[in-house]
Amino acid sequence: MSLNALADALGSSRLVTDPDVMDAYTRDEAHLAIPGRPLAVLIADSTEDVAAALKWATAHKVPVVPRGAGSGLAGGATAIEGCLVVSTATMRTIVELNAADQLAVVQAGVVNADLDRAAAEHGLMYAPDPSSYQISTIGGNIATNAGGLRCVKYGVTRDSVLGLEVVLADGRILRTGHRTVKGVAGYDLTGLMVGSEGTLGIVTGATVRLRPLPQREPATIVGSFGSLRAAADAVAAVVRAGIGPSLLELIDRATLVAIDEWKRIGLESGTEAMLIAQADGPDADAAAAAIERLFSEAGADFVALSQDPAESAQLLEIRRLAYPAAERLGQCLVEDVGVPRSRLPEMVESIEEISRRHGVTVMTVAHAGDGNVHPTFVFDRLADGSVPDAVWAAADEVFRRALELGGTLTGEHGVGVLKRRWMALEVGEAGMDIHRAVKAAFDPLGLMNPGKGF
């Protein structure tokens, strides 16, 4: 097999074979997934070059691992031995921003926050905002169907994707979806691609929905609680009341302590959990007052409401610091289960109980308003680089408990490498058969991101 032939077929894209340079492209933020050595890394500048690369890979039966910014947490961008890594991170052009139709056409490497800032110049916003929004790319967000803090009101990435440009395994370019508000012609290939984790093709471009910016700054409510259960009960009360906050986040004490030791946020000794909520609609004042009342009724020992943008930004920054604060304490297994919102109190209690029983440190945050819980298991890595048995045993129980409560193994991080072994528990054998059949239709040689997803 000749890499020269591939290099000759490319336009402005760069083919990297230096081992030291390639190393930076072999893993994402799931450091527990051990990468193999790529044959080469393609730093793609165009859809046509990605297509040429996949044609070459099919001809030579070389596995392909797509990646964006590498900010994923499930190992979906982990290189395997002898693969071609295809990076779309330098494809950063906002091709079109159409304020009249409230949409944008972007290349896959456009950074989430950059698109949101560009939309804001037209009085619009790109709603999905994963915690990594300052570095994560639209292509990577699409691959995992990323969520974020605002998705309780505005939905996850799938809810903002109108159409896609995808390079299939054999190099064909597939364009899905539409620019219209409605569109039901044929199967929903756009929806199928969103969240497929690079196993069906490589997203190189997208047409995404933009939304009007709220006409006022959001009202922000913060509450501290003497127990995690009380905070979860407050979330359930807000959901039952049908208030519809634009953001509702939960942070447990272990996480708050880690942030406080790092950033000195003034954590009170009796605070076991914190809730941060926002309301941003025309009824924001009434919604904020109702949330404030429900926090108090659920047992909050402190509740405050702020209309100050700077203060609100500081509170949200506390939530976004959760993962880096955990990383400072040791190796992390960052998990991502989802449960029906009414079952959130049971889920967080179960996580606490499982943590105690296995003697494992678990730091929990949640996109509480939509039942998406992120228990982060923190531990000292073993000498051989593996995960301690107690951590996997605790994680296994957390996953199974989420499913028992009618939930899911992953709300936004994806299955990747780390959760493959549990996939059949959620979708069943018939579901696994359908997944394999769909995979075979798109990728008959099994070259696209093998070992990921299912």
Side-chain angles (χ1 to χ4, degrees):
M1 138 190 9
S2 172
L3 284 169
N4 291 333
L6 173 55
D8 291 343
L10 300 175
S12 59
S13 299
R14 185 159 62 98
L15 194 64
V16 176
T17 56
D18 183 301
D20 292 334
V21 178
M22 288 196 300
D23 185 66
Y25 294 86
T26 60
R27 58 177 64 78
D28 55 20
E29 289 298 311
H31 300 296
L32 304 177
I34 307 302
R37 292 168 297 181
L39 181 68
V41 173
L42 173 66
I43 301 175
D45 282 338
S46 70
T47 297
E48 291 71 26
D49 283 351
V50 175
L54 266 60
K55 287 177 184 176
W56 176 89
T58 292
H60 296 281
K61 295 184 172 56
V62 173
V64 176
V65 175
R67 66 176 285 119
S71 61
L73 292 165
T78 305
I80 65 171
E81 197 71 22
C83 72
L84 174 67
V85 173
V86 177
S87 169
T88 58
T90 60
M91 297 175 62
R92 298 173 182 155
T93 301
I94 298 176
V95 178
E96 177 187 356
L97 205 156
N98 187 318
D101 289 328
Q102 297 183 354
L103 61 82
V105 180
V106 300
Q107 289 187 308
V110 170
V111 170
N112 182 297
D114 290 344
L115 175 58
D116 193 35
R117 282 188 284 266
E121 295 177 8
H122 299 267
L124 301 168
M125 69 176 184
Y126 179 64
D129 64 333
S131 292
S132 59
Y133 76 118
Q134 293 285 9
I135 59 170
S136 63
T137 63
I138 299 298
N141 292 171
I142 289 168
T144 61
N145 192 23
L149 278 64
R150 294 192 297 215
C151 64
V152 61
K153 179 174 182 178
Y154 297 105
V156 293
T157 296
R158 181 178 284 116
D159 299 302
S160 289
V161 177
L162 297 171
L164 295 172
E165 179 181 73
V166 183
V167 180
L168 300 176
D170 59 7
R172 287 179 295 165
I173 299 172
L174 171 69
R175 293 180 174 87
T176 75
H178 43 74
R179 296 167 62 101
T180 55
V181 174
K182 296 179 179 179
V184 294
Y187 296 128
D188 183 9
L189 297 181
T190 303
L192 177 63
M193 286 292 176
V194 178
S196 63
E197 301 187 55
T199 62
L200 304 179
I202 297 179
V203 172
T204 55
T207 301
V208 297
R209 175 182 288 112
L210 304 177
R211 302 174 192 272
L213 272 172
Q215 294 302 300
R216 49 161 290 172
E217 291 291 336
T220 301
I221 310 95
V222 61
S224 63
F225 295 80
S227 74
L228 191 58
R229 173 67 192 234
D233 285 341
V235 172
V238 171
V239 171
R240 282 196 304 272
I243 294 169
S246 57
L247 179 149
L248 182 51
E249 297 290 310
L250 179 149
I251 313 171
D252 77 348
R253 179 167 181 81
T255 307
L256 291 168
V257 168
I259 296 170
D260 187 56
E261 290 176 348
W262 182 20
K263 297 293 185 179
R264 305 299 180 204
I265 60 173
L267 178 65
E268 296 290 338
S269 60
T271 299
E272 293 294 323
M274 178 184 289
L275 289 178
I276 303 171
Q278 285 189 337
D280 69 358
D283 61 345
D285 290 335
I291 293 170
E292 189 177 18
R293 174 179 55 80
L294 290 169
F295 281 10
S296 296
E297 290 176 356
D301 47 38
F302 172 81
V303 184
L305 190 156
S306 175
Q307 304 279 2
D308 180 62
E311 192 170 46
S312 297
Q314 289 175 342
L315 288 168
L316 294 192
E317 185 61 19
I318 291 174
R319 169 60 182 87
R320 295 190 191 277
L321 287 171
Y323 176 54
E327 277 193 309
R328 296 175 73 247
L329 302 181
Q331 190 66 44
C332 295
L333 174 64
V334 185
E335 282 311 334
D336 167 41
V337 297
V339 294
R341 294 174 296 179
S342 63
R343 312 302 294 271
L344 181 68
E346 296 167 78
M347 189 68 233
V348 297
E349 277 198 332
S350 294
I351 292 170
E352 284 190 309
E353 189 275 328
I354 291 166
S355 170
R356 286 192 299 268
R357 183 156 38 79
H358 287 277
V360 173
T361 298
V362 181
M363 300 166 62
T364 300
V365 297
H367 302 311
D370 52 21
N372 188 191
V373 186
H374 295 311
T376 297
F377 300 79
V378 184
F379 55 92
D380 295 325
R381 179 177 283 195
L382 299 178
D384 63 359
S386 62
V387 178
D389 290 342
V391 172
W392 277 129
D396 176 79
E397 287 195 34
V398 168
F399 300 154
R400 292 174 185 272
R401 180 59 174 152
L403 295 176
E404 286 174 5
L405 293 173
T408 177
L409 294 169
T410 175
E412 58 185 6
H413 292 172
V415 175
V417 173
L418 298 183
K419 287 186 176 174
R420 288 188 73 214
R421 70 182 86 171
W422 290 279
M423 184 67 173
L425 289 176
E426 177 163 340
V427 304
E429 284 307 314
M432 291 297 288
D433 287 343
I434 296 300
H435 275 74
R436 295 182 188 109
V438 170
K439 169 76 168 171
F442 280 85
D443 178 23
L445 297 180
L447 299 177
M448 296 304 305
N449 220 6
K452 319 291 172 54
F454 62 94

